[in-house]
Amino acid sequence: MKPTKVILDCDPGHDDAIALLMAHKLPEVELLAVTTVCGNAPLAKTTANALRIMELIGATDVPIAAGCVSPIARPLVLGTADGPSGLDGSPYLPQPTIKPVDMHAVDFLAAVLREAEEPVVLAPTGPLTNVGMFVLKYPELLNRIEKVVLMGGACYRRDEYITPTEFNIFCDPEAAEIVLTSGMDITMVGLDVTMRVVVEEPQYEAIAGINTPLARVVEDWLKFYEKLHRGQMGIGGALHDPLVLAAVIDPEIIETREAHVEIDRTGTHTFGATVADFWGLRGLATNAKVASQVDSEKFFSMFYKSLEM
Ligand code: BDR
Ligand code: CA
């Protein structure tokens, strides 16, 4: 089968880093470009991290473009799980020999889409600022995007781990609103499912058993990355962004339900919440497929496979 052509828009971030390596290593994906955005760390750091990760995994031929330095209409609130560098716990990562392309990510997205022979899958794993700006600037190119599979949101709230808001949407709710009203085919992979792919003892053992240089790096990342979750909730690190990649490769890894999703941008305690109407009660057309279930075993075998290579 032909590999799926993917553009990854990310803010690495440990879990973004793992999504990047899965996109590069797994043969089902052809990674056309990586674009970076502020989120887990300021843009300069997320871009530097993307470059270092791509150097580490030998993906130096994949172009990287740096994007927006702040959300569309608000000051940047940084993520907290990844440490000040955005990728703490990796002091040995190589200094990159590669450089970002000399184009803003939003324009680079347009250039890559124009050149692609067929529509491309867009996989955003950070705040949606670049994608929102792209929608505003290049509406004529939206039909070049086959679908958007994004990490963002929390819609079911049946799980004690699920907060009313999810970071990527909370960080730039205006961008999220622009993307959700763009008419693109959108799959939201939110906390409802990503909090079910958590790295605990059995997963650590499996990773240790793989014992490749890459598996050892990832183990170190995960040990740092889990600190926040472990401290706050007593659970390991959730592989939010890698699940997006897995769902691009095998859409059946998640089950989805169609809904009309809007973002709460005024709530005091629910600011940034993704409010989903699954039954059409508000009489509004559906605008997203919201992931509701995940086959975590299938996910982890895909993740382990990417570490073996
Ligand atoms: C999302 O926020 C970031 O911290 C992670 O990289 C992930 O994309 C999870 O809420
Ligand atoms: Ca991310």
Side-chain angles (χ1 to χ4, degrees):
M1 247 192 13
K2 260 175 56 182
T4 307
K5 293 185 182 351
V6 177
I7 301 174
L8 220 156
D9 182 66
C10 58
D11 62 334
H14 296 85
D15 61 335
D16 302 78
I18 296 171
L20 278 170
L21 80 83
M22 285 173 75
H24 175 65
K25 295 282 179 186
L26 294 172
E28 294 89 344
V29 169
E30 182 185 343
L31 187 57
L32 296 185
V34 172
T35 50
T36 57
V37 67
C38 60
N40 284 323
L43 181 76
K45 290 185 179 172
T46 58
T47 306
N49 291 341
L51 293 166
R52 295 171 78 199
I53 295 155
M54 297 303 265
E55 186 92 31
L56 174 85
I57 60 178
T60 48
D61 53 338
V62 179
I64 300 175
C68 296
V69 291
S70 74
I72 289 178
R74 296 173 192 276
L76 173 62
V77 178
L78 295 173
T80 46
D82 304 277
S85 74
L87 203 59
D88 278 29
S90 327
Y92 42 75
L93 279 187
Q95 281 312 316
T97 57
I98 46 174
K99 288 193 166 44
V101 299
D102 196 13
M103 222 192 255
H104 190 281
V106 173
D107 302 313
F108 191 62
L109 261 173
V112 174
L113 288 170
R114 274 201 192 101
E115 243 178 59
E117 287 147 26
E118 59 211 54
V120 169
V121 175
L122 183 58
T125 61
L128 289 162
T129 319
N130 288 342
V131 187
M133 293 297 284
F134 171 80
V135 170
L136 297 180
K137 194 167 178 189
Y138 296 102
E140 75 281 8
L141 290 178
L142 296 190
N143 62 2
R144 304 298 301 152
I145 296 177
E146 182 193 323
K147 60 180 175 177
V148 178
V149 185
L150 63 89
M151 194 287 136
C155 296
Y156 284 85
R157 327 241 190 286
R158 66 186 163 197
D159 196 313
E160 61 181 304
Y161 298 135
I162 294 178
T163 57
T165 57
E166 181 283 321
F167 173 72
N168 291 338
I169 305 291
F170 169 85
C171 184
D172 196 340
E174 279 75 23
E177 192 70 42
I178 292 167
V179 172
L180 278 168
T181 52
S182 67
M184 291 189 287
D185 180 336
I186 295 170
T187 301
M188 278 176 59
V189 179
L191 298 181
D192 312 289
V193 283
T194 65
M195 293 301 282
R196 292 170 192 279
V197 287
V198 172
V199 179
E200 297 289 7
E201 215 34 58
Q203 287 77 24
Y204 275 120
E205 268 171 34
I207 295 166
I210 296 168
N211 201 24
T212 54
L214 187 57
R216 289 193 287 274
V217 171
V218 168
E219 194 181 338
D220 284 354
W221 284 347
L222 290 169
K223 293 254 160 77
F224 183 91
Y225 174 67
E226 75 155 35
K227 283 185 187 167
L228 185 81
H229 280 177
R230 191 70 73 196
Q232 287 178 342
M233 300 178 274
I235 60 167
L239 296 182
H240 307 288
D241 298 340
L243 185 54
V244 162
L245 240 293
V248 168
I249 291 173
D250 179 1
E252 289 184 7
I253 225 160
I254 50 170
E255 274 175 39
T256 61
R257 284 178 65 193
E258 296 219 348
H260 178 85
V261 181
E262 278 181 53
I263 317 292
D264 180 356
R265 288 183 284 126
T266 53
T268 306
H269 303 294
T270 54
F271 177 83
T274 42
V275 182
D277 175 5
F278 291 102
W279 295 289
L281 296 178
R282 284 184 252 139
L284 299 163
T286 59
N287 59 0
K289 296 171 190 135
V290 179
S292 57
Q293 305 283 345
V294 57
D295 184 338
S296 42
E297 249 177 61
K298 225 176 177 184
F299 165 78
F300 276 109
S301 32
M302 208 184 268
F303 167 51
Y304 299 148
K305 201 171 124 206
S306 71
L307 300 181
E308 283 160 9
M309 300 170 174

Coordinates of all heavy atoms in Angstrom, one line a residue, residues 240-283:
H240 N -0.4 11.4 24.2 CA -1.5 12.1 23.5 C -1.1 12.2 22.0 O -1.9 11.8 21.2 CB -1.5 13.6 24.0 CG -1.7 13.7 25.5 ND1 -2.9 13.4 26.1 CD2 -0.8 14.2 26.5 CE1 -2.8 13.7 27.4 NE2 -1.5 14.1 27.7
D241 N 0.0 12.8 21.7 CA 0.3 13.1 20.3 C 0.6 11.9 19.4 O 0.2 11.8 18.3 CB 1.4 14.2 20.2 CG 1.0 15.5 20.8 OD1 -0.2 15.7 21.0 OD2 1.9 16.3 21.2
P242 N 1.3 10.9 20.0 CA 1.5 9.7 19.2 C 0.2 9.0 18.8 O 0.2 8.4 17.7 CB 2.3 8.8 20.2 CG 3.0 9.8 21.1 CD 2.1 10.9 21.3
L243 N -0.8 9.2 19.6 CA -2.1 8.5 19.2 C -2.7 9.1 18.0 O -3.3 8.4 17.2 CB -3.1 8.6 20.4 CG -4.4 7.9 20.2 CD1 -4.2 6.4 19.8 CD2 -5.3 8.0 21.4
V244 N -2.4 10.4 17.7 CA -2.8 11.0 16.5 C -2.2 10.3 15.3 O -2.8 9.9 14.3 CB -2.5 12.5 16.5 CG1 -2.5 13.1 15.1 CG2 -3.4 13.3 17.4
L245 N -0.9 10.1 15.4 CA -0.1 9.4 14.3 C -0.7 8.0 14.1 O -0.9 7.6 13.0 CB 1.4 9.4 14.7 CG 2.3 10.1 13.7 CD1 2.3 9.4 12.4 CD2 1.8 11.5 13.5
A246 N -0.9 7.3 15.2 CA -1.5 6.0 15.1 C -2.8 6.0 14.4 O -3.1 5.1 13.5 CB -1.6 5.3 16.5
A247 N -3.6 7.0 14.7 CA -5.0 7.1 14.1 C -4.9 7.5 12.6 O -5.8 7.2 11.9 CB -5.8 8.1 14.9
V248 N -3.8 8.2 12.2 CA -3.7 8.5 10.8 C -3.3 7.2 10.1 O -3.8 6.9 9.0 CB -2.5 9.5 10.6 CG1 -2.1 9.6 9.2 CG2 -3.0 10.9 11.2
I249 N -2.5 6.4 10.7 CA -2.0 5.1 10.0 C -3.2 4.1 10.0 O -3.4 3.5 9.0 CB -0.8 4.5 10.8 CG1 0.4 5.4 10.6 CG2 -0.5 3.1 10.3 CD1 1.6 5.1 11.4
D250 N -3.9 4.0 11.1 CA -5.0 3.0 11.2 C -6.2 3.7 11.9 O -6.3 3.7 13.1 CB -4.5 1.8 12.0 CG -5.6 0.8 12.1 OD1 -6.7 1.0 11.6 OD2 -5.4 -0.3 12.8
P251 N -7.1 4.3 11.1 CA -8.2 5.0 11.6 C -9.0 4.1 12.6 O -9.7 4.6 13.4 CB -9.0 5.4 10.4 CG -8.0 5.4 9.3 CD -7.0 4.3 9.6
E252 N -8.9 2.8 12.4 CA -9.8 1.9 13.3 C -9.2 1.8 14.7 O -9.8 1.1 15.5 CB -9.9 0.6 12.6 CG -10.8 0.7 11.4 CD -11.1 -0.6 10.7 OE1 -10.8 -1.7 11.3 OE2 -11.7 -0.5 9.6
I253 N -8.1 2.4 14.9 CA -7.5 2.3 16.3 C -8.4 3.1 17.2 O -8.3 2.9 18.5 CB -6.0 2.8 16.2 CG1 -5.1 1.9 17.0 CG2 -5.9 4.2 16.7 CD1 -3.7 2.0 16.7
I254 N -9.1 4.1 16.7 CA -10.1 4.8 17.5 C -11.5 4.6 16.9 O -11.7 4.3 15.8 CB -9.8 6.3 17.5 CG1 -9.6 6.9 16.1 CG2 -8.6 6.6 18.4 CD1 -9.5 8.4 16.0
E255 N -12.5 4.8 17.8 CA -13.9 4.9 17.4 C -14.2 6.4 17.5 O -13.8 7.0 18.5 CB -14.8 4.1 18.3 CG -14.9 2.6 17.9 CD -15.7 1.8 18.9 OE1 -16.7 2.4 19.4 OE2 -15.3 0.7 19.2
T256 N -15.0 6.9 16.6 CA -15.4 8.3 16.7 C -16.9 8.4 16.6 O -17.6 7.5 16.2 CB -14.8 9.1 15.5 OG1 -15.3 8.6 14.3 CG2 -13.3 9.0 15.5
R257 N -17.3 9.6 17.1 CA -18.7 10.0 17.0 C -18.8 11.4 16.4 O -18.1 12.2 16.9 CB -19.4 9.9 18.4 CG -19.7 8.6 18.9 CD -20.3 8.6 20.3 NE -21.6 9.3 20.3 CZ -22.2 9.7 21.4 NH1 -21.7 9.5 22.6 NH2 -23.4 10.3 21.3
E258 N -19.7 11.6 15.5 CA -19.8 12.9 14.9 C -20.5 13.8 15.9 O -21.4 13.4 16.7 CB -20.7 12.8 13.7 CG -20.0 12.0 12.6 CD -20.2 12.5 11.2 OE1 -21.0 13.5 11.0 OE2 -19.4 12.0 10.3
A259 N -20.1 15.1 15.9 CA -20.7 16.0 16.8 C -20.5 17.4 16.3 O -19.7 17.7 15.4 CB -20.1 16.0 18.2
H260 N -21.4 18.4 16.8 CA -21.1 19.8 16.5 C -20.3 20.2 17.8 O -20.8 20.2 18.9 CB -22.3 20.6 16.4 CG -22.0 22.0 16.2 ND1 -21.8 22.6 15.0 CD2 -21.9 23.0 17.1 CE1 -21.5 23.9 15.2 NE2 -21.6 24.2 16.4
V261 N -19.1 20.7 17.5 CA -18.2 21.1 18.6 C -17.9 22.6 18.6 O -17.6 23.1 17.5 CB -16.8 20.3 18.6 CG1 -15.9 20.7 19.7 CG2 -17.1 18.8 18.5
E262 N -18.1 23.2 19.7 CA -17.8 24.6 19.8 C -16.8 24.8 21.0 O -16.8 24.0 21.9 CB -19.0 25.5 20.1 CG -19.7 25.8 18.7 CD -21.0 26.6 18.9 OE1 -20.9 27.7 19.6 OE2 -22.0 26.2 18.4
I263 N -16.1 25.9 21.0 CA -15.2 26.2 22.1 C -15.7 27.2 23.0 O -16.2 28.3 22.6 CB -13.8 26.7 21.5 CG1 -13.4 26.0 20.3 CG2 -12.8 26.8 22.6 CD1 -12.9 24.6 20.5
D264 N -15.7 27.0 24.3 CA -16.1 28.0 25.3 C -15.0 29.0 25.5 O -13.9 28.6 25.9 CB -16.4 27.3 26.6 CG -16.8 28.3 27.7 OD1 -16.8 29.5 27.4 OD2 -17.2 27.8 28.8
R265 N -15.2 30.2 25.1 CA -14.2 31.2 25.2 C -14.6 32.3 26.2 O -13.9 33.4 26.2 CB -13.9 31.8 23.8 CG -13.2 30.8 22.9 CD -12.8 31.4 21.6 NE -14.0 31.5 20.7 CZ -14.3 32.6 20.0 NH1 -13.7 33.7 20.2 NH2 -15.4 32.6 19.2
T266 N -15.6 32.1 27.0 CA -15.9 33.1 28.0 C -16.0 32.5 29.4 O -16.0 33.2 30.4 CB -17.3 33.7 27.7 OG1 -18.3 32.6 27.5 CG2 -17.3 34.6 26.4
G267 N -16.1 31.2 29.5 CA -16.3 30.5 30.8 C -15.2 30.8 31.8 O -14.0 30.9 31.5
T268 N -15.6 31.0 33.0 CA -14.6 31.3 34.1 C -13.8 30.0 34.4 O -12.6 30.0 34.5 CB -15.3 31.8 35.4 OG1 -16.1 32.9 35.0 CG2 -14.3 32.2 36.4
H269 N -14.5 28.9 34.6 CA -13.9 27.7 35.0 C -13.8 26.7 33.8 O -13.2 25.6 34.0 CB -14.6 27.0 36.2 CG -14.7 27.9 37.3 ND1 -13.6 28.3 38.0 CD2 -15.8 28.5 37.9 CE1 -14.0 29.1 39.0 NE2 -15.3 29.3 38.9
T270 N -14.4 27.0 32.7 CA -14.5 26.1 31.6 C -13.9 26.7 30.3 O -14.2 26.3 29.2 CB -15.9 25.6 31.3 OG1 -16.7 26.8 31.2 CG2 -16.4 24.8 32.4
F271 N -13.1 27.8 30.5 CA -12.5 28.5 29.4 C -11.7 27.5 28.5 O -10.8 26.8 29.1 CB -11.6 29.6 29.9 CG -10.9 30.3 28.7 CD1 -11.6 31.3 28.0 CD2 -9.6 30.0 28.4 CE1 -10.9 32.0 27.0 CE2 -9.0 30.6 27.3 CZ -9.7 31.6 26.6
G272 N -12.0 27.5 27.3 CA -11.2 26.6 26.4 C -11.8 25.2 26.3 O -11.3 24.3 25.6
A273 N -12.9 25.0 27.0 CA -13.6 23.6 26.9 C -14.2 23.4 25.5 O -14.6 24.3 24.8 CB -14.7 23.5 27.9
T274 N -14.1 22.1 25.1 CA -14.7 21.8 23.8 C -16.1 21.2 24.1 O -16.3 20.2 24.7 CB -13.9 20.7 23.1 OG1 -13.4 19.7 24.0 CG2 -12.7 21.3 22.4
V275 N -17.1 22.0 23.7 CA -18.5 21.6 24.1 C -19.1 20.9 22.9 O -19.3 21.5 21.8 CB -19.3 22.9 24.4 CG1 -20.8 22.5 24.8 CG2 -18.6 23.7 25.5
A276 N -19.4 19.6 23.1 CA -19.8 18.8 21.9 C -21.3 18.5 22.0 O -21.8 18.0 23.1 CB -19.0 17.5 21.9
D277 N -22.0 18.7 20.9 CA -23.4 18.3 20.8 C -23.5 17.1 19.9 O -23.3 17.1 18.7 CB -24.2 19.5 20.2 CG -25.7 19.1 20.0 OD1 -26.1 18.0 20.4 OD2 -26.4 19.9 19.4
F278 N -23.7 15.9 20.5 CA -23.7 14.6 19.8 C -25.0 14.3 19.2 O -25.1 13.4 18.3 CB -23.2 13.5 20.7 CG -21.8 13.6 21.1 CD1 -21.4 14.0 22.4 CD2 -20.8 13.2 20.2 CE1 -20.1 14.1 22.7 CE2 -19.4 13.3 20.6 CZ -19.1 13.8 21.8
W279 N -26.1 14.9 19.7 CA -27.4 14.5 19.3 C -28.1 15.6 18.4 O -29.3 15.5 18.1 CB -28.3 14.3 20.5 CG -27.8 13.1 21.3 CD1 -27.9 11.8 20.9 CD2 -27.1 13.1 22.5 NE1 -27.3 11.0 21.8 CE2 -26.8 11.8 22.8 CE3 -26.7 14.1 23.4 CZ2 -26.1 11.4 24.0 CZ3 -26.0 13.8 24.5 CH2 -25.7 12.4 24.8
G280 N -27.4 16.6 18.0 CA -27.9 17.6 17.1 C -29.0 18.5 17.8 O -29.9 19.0 17.2
L281 N -28.9 18.5 19.2 CA -29.9 19.2 19.9 C -30.0 20.7 19.6 O -31.0 21.4 19.7 CB -29.7 19.0 21.4 CG -29.8 17.6 21.9 CD1 -29.5 17.4 23.4 CD2 -31.2 17.0 21.6
R282 N -28.8 21.3 19.2 CA -28.8 22.7 18.9 C -29.1 22.9 17.4 O -29.0 24.1 17.0 CB -27.4 23.3 19.3 CG -27.3 23.5 20.8 CD -26.0 24.2 21.1 NE -25.1 23.2 21.8 CZ -23.8 23.1 21.5 NH1 -23.2 23.9 20.6 NH2 -23.1 22.2 22.1
G283 N -29.4 21.9 16.7 CA -29.8 22.0 15.3 C -28.6 22.5 14.4 O -28.9 23.1 13.4

